Amino acid sequence: LYFSAQEGMLFFYDIKDLQYEMKICADILQPISSLIVSPDYTTLLVVTDQGTVYTYKPAHSGEAVKLLDACSSCFLGADFLTPGDEYCVSVTISGEVQVWFLEDGTCLSKLNLDIEVQVN
């Protein structure tokens, strides 16, 4: 079970039978707004309140890697494109939809919706 705390810490609860252990996985240093699990459960997308998107691969037990950084408009949300977990899609508050290659953070495609996007 992965969860985040208000101060930007990513935690993992390792639950076995009636026993559990809490581990700190990464310190993002920004409040986390959402965690998205890849379809094959190998990668987490970590989206912050400031609009930065990180990837975290639990099997590698490393740090979260910054994938996308908010530029002129904050990322409102991100998710994996299925099938697989090689690409993700993001949307900004200004209405720009982007497709990203997760391996190196390359932006592959952009579409401007010409409207402001809101979360309901």
Side-chain angles (χ1 to χ4, degrees), residues 25-44:
C25 298
D27 186 356
I28 305 299
L29 301 174
Q30 299 175 13
I32 297 170
S33 61
S34 60
L35 298 173
I36 302 101
V37 181
S38 66
D40 65 359
Y41 304 103
T42 61
T43 307
L44 289 173

Side-chain angles (χ1 to χ4, degrees), residues 73-77 90-98 115-117:
S73 180
C74 287
F75 289 105
L76 193 56
S90 65
V91 64
T92 64
I93 292 171
S94 64
E96 186 172 77
V97 178
Q98 299 170 320
I115 59 169
E116 189 170 303
V117 177

Side-chain angles (χ1 to χ4, degrees), residues 47-107:
V47 182
T48 71
D49 284 352
Q50 281 87 21
T52 308
V53 179
Y54 293 83
T55 58
Y56 178 77
K57 296 188 177 191
H60 295 135
S61 299
E63 295 182 18
V65 176
K66 187 185 292 185
L67 178 65
L68 315 170
D69 203 355
C71 298
S72 59
S73 180
C74 287
F75 289 105
L76 193 56
D79 203 350
F80 291 91
L81 284 177
T82 56
D85 63 349
E86 294 179 23
Y87 307 97
C88 77
V89 63
S90 65
V91 64
T92 64
I93 292 171
S94 64
E96 186 172 77
V97 178
Q98 299 170 320
V99 176
W100 302 89
F101 183 54
L102 288 174
E103 185 68 29
D104 61 8
T106 302
C107 180

